[in-house]
Amino acid sequence: MASNIMKSSTLLNTSHKLFLSSQRNSNNLTNQYRSMGHTVRIILTENMPNGKGYKGEVVTVRAGYARNCLIPQKMALYAIPDNFARLGMKDPDLLSKDEIKAGQKAQEEEDEGEDKRAADLLRTYLKNKKLKIWRNADKASGRIHPGLVNAQNVRDKLSKQLKIDLEDHEVVTLGENKVVFTEVDDMDDLVVEAEGIVEEERNVEIKELGEYLAKIHLAGGFTIPLWLSIRAR
């Protein structure tokens, strides 16, 4: 009998400990959930701070952030059917594959249009300009000594001399042969023959004074000619 009582007592103590452990685990999960907070989907009507979201996007944020900040400041609306209809939008989560493809195509066409406008603007700006780089050179042969001119030198000079700062994805290449520029319109004719990036031109190093054709390769596959003149210092 005593043995049975002791066993029962042990079982009760064990059960109590398991219950307390489960309660602690449950409380920990609840606290974690509370600290994380639940989230909601919103439609941005203004750009979010620090580039975290842009007008017209549907994003997920903490409910408190939406309720206490974004919604009162009229920076966003809750992503519910009425608000999508009010803004003339479709819920991206409900779009069909065809609608998604059509939207992507429209965005690509818009990007291509922007790329073309940027290329035309730079082409017009550079058409009557000459980038000049001075180097020490041998008077008899015209060879640069010491040193050379490469694509990085041209990038640096574009920034300092013509105030053009290229993005990392925009590539400068150099033609290794001298060019005779008789008219400004020649620039357009020359670049037609050299559209696209010629791999051999990426690492060209110019070692003689003279006139050369450099090319600036922009997004969208556009190539802009640049008149490069290397002169004796």
Side-chain angles (χ1 to χ4, degrees), residues 173 189-198 201 213 215 217 223:
T173 59
D189 296 333
L190 284 167
V191 81
V192 167
E193 301 174 2
E195 285 289 347
I197 298 177
V198 180
E201 293 180 348
L213 176 67
K215 289 172 285 181
H217 305 272
T223 303

Side-chain angles (χ1 to χ4, degrees), residues 135-145 178 209 232-233:
R135 288 288 187 270
N136 293 324
D138 180 77
K139 292 182 179 180
S141 65
R143 290 187 62 81
I144 299 171
H145 180 76
K178 295 180 183 180
L209 302 177
R233 180 175 287 152

Side-chain angles (χ1 to χ4, degrees), residues 41-144:
R41 293 173 71 232
I42 57 172
I43 309 166
L44 295 175
T45 54
E46 299 291 342
N47 295 337
M48 288 180 68
N50 302 321
K52 294 181 178 179
Y54 299 93
K55 183 177 179 179
E57 290 184 343
V58 178
V59 298
T60 300
V61 298
R62 292 193 182 195
Y65 183 43
R67 182 178 61 252
N68 300 322
C69 180
L70 299 177
I71 302 298
Q73 293 182 17
K74 298 183 179 181
M75 296 179 66
L77 296 171
Y78 287 111
I80 58 176
D82 286 349
N83 286 334
F84 280 112
R86 173 181 168 187
L87 296 173
M89 295 175 56
K90 286 190 175 182
D91 187 338
D93 286 358
L94 303 179
L95 292 176
S96 67
K97 289 183 179 179
D98 289 341
E99 288 174 319
I100 292 173
K101 287 182 180 179
Q104 290 173 340
K105 184 177 180 181
Q107 184 62 49
E108 288 173 359
E109 290 175 351
E110 183 179 342
D111 291 342
E112 288 174 2
E114 291 179 358
D115 291 339
K116 186 177 186 307
R117 285 191 291 273
D120 288 343
L121 184 64
L122 183 59
R123 188 189 304 274
T124 301
Y125 176 72
L126 290 176
K127 188 167 185 177
N128 296 314
K129 289 181 173 58
K130 183 188 299 185
L131 186 70
K132 302 171 186 176
I133 296 180
W134 285 266
R135 288 288 187 270
N136 293 324
D138 180 77
K139 292 182 179 180
S141 65
R143 290 187 62 81
I144 299 171

